[in-house]
Amino acid sequence: MEIIIILIPIALILTGIAFWAFFWSVNSGQFDDLESPAHSILYDDDDHLIPDDAKVDTDQTDSNKADNAKRND
């Protein structure tokens, strides 16, 4: 029964620390944007990892589209 005299103050101190940490993180903006970090992995810059022969030349695809549009007219 004497251990409760020690455990209750320790529990209150730990609860106070948890509340302080939560409100500090909210006030410092940790929870402002929850969507962008999840989407940022989709827009990773990995162009240097693509082999040169596998890269698509955007100039050629644009000219091919123009040629196809002329043929359809």
Side-chain angles (χ1 to χ4, degrees), residues 5-58:
I5 295 172
I6 296 171
L7 289 178
I8 290 177
I10 291 174
L12 291 174
I13 290 170
L14 290 176
T15 303
I17 292 171
F19 275 114
W20 172 81
F22 174 73
F23 285 113
W24 173 81
S25 65
V26 169
N27 288 333
S28 67
Q30 295 293 320
F31 298 112
D32 283 348
D33 186 13
L34 298 177
E35 296 291 325
S36 293
H39 294 287
S40 67
I41 194 168
L42 300 174
Y43 303 112
D44 192 26
D45 294 330
D46 57 356
D47 290 336
H48 66 282
L49 297 175
I50 300 172
D52 291 333
D53 58 341
K55 289 183 181 179
V56 176
D57 188 14
T58 58

